[in-house]
Amino acid sequence: MLFQRDGRLTRDLVRSPGGFGLGQLPTRLKPDATTDMVCGYCSTGCGLTIHLKRGQAVGLTPAADHPVNRGMACPKGWEALTVLEADDRATEPLLRDADGTLRAVTWDTAMRALVEQFQRIQSSHSPDAVAFLSTGQMPTEEMALLGALTKFGMGLVNGDGNTRQCMATTVVAYKQAFGFDAPPYTYRDFEESDVIVLVGSNLCIAHPIMWERIVRNPHKPAIVAIDPRATETAMQATQHVPLQPKSDQALFYGLARLLIERNWVDREYIEAHTRNFDDVASAVEPFTLDRVTDTTGVPTAAIEQLATTIHNGQRVSFWWTMGVNQSYQGVRTAQSIINVALMTGNIGRPGTGANSITGQCNAMGSRLFSNTTNLLGGHEFGNPDHRTKVAKELQIDPGAIPTRDGAAYHEIIEGILRGSIKGLWVIATNTAHSWINQQHVLDVLDRLDFLVVQDMYHSTETAQIADLVLPAAAWGEKEGTFINSERRIGLVKKVGRAPGQALSDFAIFKLVAEYWGCAEMFREWESPEAVFQILKRLSRGQPCDFTGITDYGMLDKHAGIQWPYPDGSPAIKDTPERRLFEDGRFYHQDGRARFVYEDPRPMPEPPTRRYPLVLLTGRGTASQWHTQTRTRHSGVLRKLYPEDIYVEINPTDAADLGIRPNSQVTVESRRGRLVARAFVTRSVQPGHLFVPMHYAETNQLTDAVFDPYSKQPSYKACAVKLSAVPG
Ligand SMILES: Nc1nc2c(c(=O)[nH]1)N[C@H]1C(S)=C(S)[C@@H](COP(=O)(O)OP(=O)(O)OC[C@H]3O[C@@H](n4cnc5c(=O)[nH]c(N)nc54)[C@H](O)[C@@H]3O)O[C@H]1N2
Ligand SMILES: Nc1nc2c(c(=O)[nH]1)N[C@H]1C(S)=C(S)[C@@H](COP(=O)(O)OP(=O)(O)OC[C@H]3O[C@@H](n4cnc5c(=O)[nH]c(N)nc54)[C@H](O)[C@@H]3O)O[C@H]1N2
Ligand code: SF4
Ligand SMILES: [Mo]
């Protein structure tokens, strides 16, 4: 028993090791030494050396010999400990009382309220009337426990991750092309390429340490940045391709056509390792240079230059991020890039690959083990053999496993609107700021009977409208593993105590299991490391098999280990970095990768006379993280970014509208409007605006449209108008 019903925490809980926020620091750390762990912000997964005094973190430095960051860190990493100390840390459970005020309660009251409300909703509506929204920013073990608890223990079907906003497109693109969701690269590929093509990826801001790896490339690589904006990355590239938003698919079809026409493709590779080439080759025939120039706005000579650069390269790597994924046609766009990598044989060799860069520290853990879009371990809910396998490993009744995928994020939101979802549990994500078309979201969340928000701060936009706030321990206050962009499973450790009564998410899920009455099902899930062992078993025989990793100690020793690493793999020292598909075998049954084509579709909301500009959104600075709940707590970081919302405007548009630099302007879409400071800059093209996503107002403008296959929101382009604020 973890907990006494009178609300006091038992000694078991207080004394339990790293899995819980409260209590002793883990004995395996020497009290006055240093220890390495993975950073908790972006998916790069830098190693940070934590300096301890009496077992508590007192400072950090980037880990010197770490295979990922080699002694470097970005400002967020340097400041990772600072943001843990803040006045608005959630320190006790808060329950909204009859007057509508959030008041502190004991954990016992909080747990009873959660169970009572969710069970009441389930019995008066249906089990599916309660849903959850989770994250790519918790350790894999916590995500897996949440996914198993809700779906196997509490009878929920509907639960999704914020990774839907971010990685869903690539997941589908990889599954269809390769047969499994598997980013094929290792970071060394950044240093081994002679041509690096970045598509909709602003590394200098979003993944600064990956950019540093490119800077260390000794081959003087050609660097091509394909982005409508002249981003910090594009400014340092050898070629910037400033295309019109959402025209990448046409561009890559045009490139494919040109490469085929000039016989610059690798027929041998295509023959031996792929399928559907001929179909795709004829489908791209209409994408002539003139047509592609017309669609993309990129001069013919620049397209030819890009094709020539790809052809001349010996080791060409293609990398993409949100400029591709966040689109109404993201999956097919990602596959248009994969097509070009496959047809030129640029995969499975050093310095090559069709490489999607992930976003959050544990996006990859969420993709494989959150039990949302896949059944634990990259299995499928719809596959009876997979359900039987998972049930056997977990020693549960196969009937407890849902036979279908749950609703996607936007379907959950629509379910609330329709009244079919009445209870929502939001964990480590800030829906009321980050979800597309935010005004609508606030209205939707308001319709819930019961909203639970589990966060490390009580001040987030979503926590403020919750009925129940559960205070969570943060990175550095608990244990577990993250999986980074290159599939490296790395360790996070408990190097400080969580404030007040805050508990690790792991401990909160265990408590919910206890109060819900399904704790027995999770007896073996007693600590994060115990769950690591369970997940390891579940990975057996899957492409992500990591059965060769004995325990956390082994991860610690090697600064993380990339999957796959099945039982019997060679020693890590003999294969320190590994890329996929070196043998030319993909995960489809026939071992072949697939070319995929579909006609590009028109923009859902093109500019019109009333809304003549295209609004782009994305990351603003290397010092801001998403909805700013964390980064705004560091004075150092605050000095590095503009406090108030701003909009990037081309000088031509500014002059046309009589807008002076730094004056106040209004940006308005069909859904909402915001007032921002005018940042007049040539980094955006005439006809485009850019507003960073870090300010709460941004998503009042965005348009809720989605990729049909991945259901990922299209955050990056909608129609707006701009005007000067009088006076
Ligand atoms: N500092 C910082 N770093 C972060 C994050 C953060 O919040 N702050 N978040 C992390 C997360 S979760 C993610 S997902 C990544 C995101 O990393 P990125 O995807 O690199 O960042 P974004 O700025 O969202 O988008 C990248 C670029 O896409 C361009 N773009 C827009 N539309 C199009 C288009 O149609 N075609 C092309 N080719 N480009 C287009 C934008 O101009 C932008 O420069 O960053 C991670 N790293
Ligand atoms: N317009 C526009 N909107 C976008 C995007 C865009 O490019 N443009 N990008 C989208 C993308 S790619 C992403 S990934 C999303 C990100 O959107 P969100 O996930 O909403 O952003 P975060 O601010 O990272 O929210 C994470 C929350 O978890 C809390 N937290 C941190 N660690 C823990 C923990 O260990 N436990 C618990 N319980 N809580 C914790 C933080 O305090 C914070 O409130 O935004 C999306 N929204
Ligand atoms: S690049 Fe990413 S992982 Fe590295 S220190 Fe910065 S935020 Fe952390
Ligand atoms: Mo993301």
Side-chain angles (χ1 to χ4, degrees):
M1 176 76 171
L2 279 168
F3 201 78
Q4 285 168 351
R5 292 288 161 131
D6 66 1
R8 278 184 300 125
L9 297 160
T10 61
R11 289 202 314 211
D12 280 2
L13 180 54
V14 174
R15 282 185 179 166
S16 58
F20 304 106
L22 284 170
Q24 309 294 319
L25 291 158
T27 46
R28 66 179 131 219
L29 297 183
K30 292 205 188 83
D32 292 307
T34 59
T35 190
D36 285 1
M37 61 193 261
V38 178
C39 174
Y41 284 103
C42 88
S43 63
T44 307
C46 295
L48 301 175
T49 300
I50 310 291
H51 302 249
L52 302 165
K53 202 158 204 150
R54 285 188 288 280
Q56 292 263 36
V58 289
L60 66 78
T61 43
D65 301 319
H66 199 275
V68 167
N69 51 313
R70 304 189 176 157
M72 301 176 281
C74 86
K76 295 184 297 302
W78 277 102
E79 280 295 285
L81 291 169
T82 314
V83 304
L84 300 178
E85 282 162 39
D87 291 344
D88 57 349
R89 277 299 297 271
T91 54
E92 47 201 350
L94 303 172
L95 182 65
R96 203 170 287 283
D97 67 12
D99 311 336
T101 313
L102 280 173
R103 286 195 201 287
V105 293
T106 62
W107 272 107
D108 182 54
T109 307
M111 287 297 107
R112 284 172 196 272
L114 182 147
V115 169
E116 219 171 85
Q117 293 289 340
F118 282 170
Q119 289 187 347
R120 179 188 57 74
I121 292 168
Q122 283 189 319
S123 57
S124 54
H125 297 275
S126 88
D128 302 356
V130 176
F132 70 91
L133 290 173
S134 114
T135 187
Q137 296 178 60
M138 289 187 321
T140 310
E141 295 78 357
E142 297 188 334
M143 290 179 185
L145 176 54
L146 170 66
L149 164 68
T150 47
K151 295 205 167 180
F152 309 156
M154 296 166 70
L156 273 56
V157 173
N158 297 322
D160 202 3
N162 69 359
T163 31
R164 179 77 63 176
Q165 300 165 307
C166 183
M167 302 317 313
T169 285
T170 290
V171 172
V172 178
Y174 275 158
K175 274 189 187 166
Q176 292 179 348
F178 298 161
F180 195 77
D181 175 22
Y185 55 96
T186 181
Y187 291 155
R188 182 161 296 188
D189 291 321
F190 282 124
E191 292 159 358
E192 293 182 343
S193 298
D194 57 5
V195 177
I196 297 172
V197 183
L198 302 167
V199 195
S201 179
N202 190 5
L203 283 188
C204 291
I205 295 297
H207 300 93
I209 301 308
M210 293 193 198
W211 177 257
E212 292 299 328
R213 297 288 300 256
I214 292 183
V215 171
R216 292 178 175 212
N217 182 317
H219 307 289
K220 295 197 171 46
I223 303 171
V224 183
I226 302 178
D227 197 306
R229 297 190 303 136
T231 59
E232 295 77 357
T233 312
M235 287 176 201
Q236 307 199 47
T238 53
Q239 187 187 359
H240 174 210
V241 180
L243 78 182
Q244 285 302 312
K246 305 299 143 231
S247 64
D248 308 67
Q249 198 180 341
L251 176 70
F252 275 86
Y253 289 160
L255 279 173
R257 184 191 156 278
L258 207 57
L259 293 164
I260 295 166
E261 185 188 72
R262 298 189 178 170
N263 208 15
W264 288 350
V265 293
D266 186 341
R267 298 267 167 198
E268 220 172 287
Y269 191 87
I270 295 168
E271 195 62 37
H273 304 296
T274 69
R275 239 179 227 298
N276 299 348
F277 175 72
D278 292 340
D279 295 345
V280 170
S282 50
V284 298
E285 254 170 46
F287 290 84
T288 58
L289 274 172
D290 285 349
R291 172 173 167 187
V292 175
T293 293
D294 203 45
T295 315
T296 60
V298 179
T300 305
I303 301 171
E304 287 192 293
Q305 184 191 339
L306 177 52
T308 308
T309 305
I310 293 171
H311 172 60
N312 288 341
Q314 303 299 307
R315 297 175 306 282
V316 186
S317 56
F318 299 86
W319 309 81
W320 71 88
T321 321
M322 291 307 118
V324 170
N325 283 7
Q326 292 173 342
S327 163
Y328 60 90
Q329 54 185 4
V331 170
R332 295 294 179 251
T333 304
Q335 287 166 337
S336 72
I337 304 171
I338 297 172
N339 288 347
V340 169
L342 288 174
M343 72 177 63
T344 53
N346 276 304
I347 194 149
R349 291 182 291 113
T352 66
N355 304 331
S356 154
I357 299 170
T358 56
Q360 303 167 79
C361 49
N362 200 20
M364 198 67 228
S366 156
R367 281 152 74 166
L368 293 176
F369 290 105
S370 67
N371 218 26
T372 53
T373 46
N374 297 303
L375 178 58
L376 292 171
H379 295 92
E380 280 164 27
F381 284 105
N383 182 325
D385 294 342
H386 285 184
R387 291 200 301 275
T388 310
K389 174 183 166 188
V390 170
K392 198 163 153 239
E393 285 296 352
L394 299 182
Q395 294 171 17
I396 61 172
D397 172 8
I401 303 182
T403 53
R404 59 180 165 92
D405 288 351
Y409 203 130
H410 78 93
E411 293 161 345
I412 291 175
I413 300 288
E414 283 158 17
I416 301 170
L417 196 59
R418 278 201 317 273
S420 59
I421 292 178
K422 295 280 185 191
L424 184 68
W425 185 6
V426 176
I427 303 109
T429 186
N430 190 5
T431 305
H433 176 141
S434 57
W435 186 244
I436 199 156
N437 190 0
Q438 189 200 33
Q439 286 214 312
H440 177 63
V441 152
L442 288 174
D443 170 48
V444 172
L445 294 179
D446 192 43
R447 293 167 194 241
L448 286 163
D449 283 359
F450 202 62
L451 170 63
V452 181
V453 173
Q454 185 167 319
D455 203 286
M456 56 187 281
Y457 303 104
H458 61 69
S459 56
T460 74
E461 286 90 344
T462 319
Q464 283 177 33
I465 55 171
D467 298 295
L468 175 66
V469 177
L470 301 177
W475 170 91
E477 298 164 351
K478 57 185 180 180
E479 271 187 347
T481 57
F482 290 160
I483 309 180
N484 78 354
S485 265
E486 55 164 2
R487 312 180 316 283
R488 182 178 297 274
I489 306 172
L491 210 50
V492 286
K493 298 177 186 170
K494 177 171 173 155
V495 291
R497 292 186 177 84
Q501 298 274 305
L503 293 177
S504 70
D505 294 288
F506 194 87
I508 299 173
F509 302 144
K510 290 286 283 185
L511 278 181
V512 173
E514 184 84 33
Y515 277 72
W516 195 273
C518 59
E520 188 51 27
M521 196 183 248
F522 302 100
R523 209 167 9 124
E524 200 195 335
W525 303 56
E526 58 181 8
S527 67
E529 191 157 9
V531 174
F532 182 79
Q533 296 300 336
I534 297 172
L535 300 182
K536 193 170 111 177
R537 289 200 317 258
L538 286 169
S539 78
R540 187 180 298 280
Q542 289 290 92
C544 58
D545 191 328
F546 63 89
T547 46
I549 303 175
T550 49
D551 54 15
Y552 280 180
M554 184 172 175
L555 290 175
D556 206 18
K557 179 168 168 214
H558 296 288
I561 296 171
Q562 289 170 296
W563 66 257
Y565 194 74
D567 248 347
S569 298
I572 295 289
K573 68 173 171 32
D574 300 327
T575 55
E577 290 208 38
R578 281 163 290 122
R579 71 182 58 77
L580 304 179
F581 312 133
E582 288 190 318
D583 58 0
R585 277 197 70 75
F586 294 84
Y587 299 117
H588 284 296
Q589 282 230 303
D590 59 7
R592 290 166 178 270
R594 303 289 191 269
F595 287 95
V596 187
Y597 171 90
E598 190 175 296
D599 286 341
R601 283 175 298 123
M603 259 169 85
E605 199 182 57
T608 58
R609 210 152 40 84
R610 276 186 64 212
Y611 297 97
L613 302 166
V614 178
L615 174 70
L616 304 171
T617 68
R619 275 78 197 153
T621 68
S623 314
Q624 285 165 294
W625 181 255
H626 296 156
T627 74
Q628 292 264 58
T629 61
R630 284 196 267 173
T631 39
R632 70 166 178 231
H633 290 107
S634 149
V636 172
L637 296 180
R638 274 203 310 275
K639 273 194 245 169
L640 298 173
Y641 64 79
E643 169 123 26
D644 295 320
I645 186 166
Y646 62 95
V647 49
E648 298 185 11
I649 308 168
N650 185 274
T652 320
D653 291 328
D656 284 354
L657 295 165
I659 290 168
R660 279 173 296 105
N662 295 318
S663 64
Q664 294 292 102
V665 294
T666 305
V667 186
E668 191 176 338
S669 76
R670 291 187 176 86
R671 294 152 295 279
R673 65 200 286 277
L674 58 80
V675 174
R677 185 174 55 79
F679 176 17
V680 179
T681 167
R682 276 181 225 290
S683 64
V684 289
Q685 301 181 39
H688 302 168
L689 302 177
F690 176 78
V691 182
M693 65 160 300
H694 311 296
Y695 306 93
E697 299 93 317
T698 309
N699 276 321
Q700 296 189 0
L701 305 183
T702 45
D703 185 18
V705 287
F706 305 91
D707 179 281
Y709 307 106
S710 70
K711 301 174 183 170
Q712 179 158 344
S714 186
Y715 283 108
K716 292 273 191 270
C718 69
V720 291
K721 67 178 165 197
L722 173 71
S723 50
V725 172

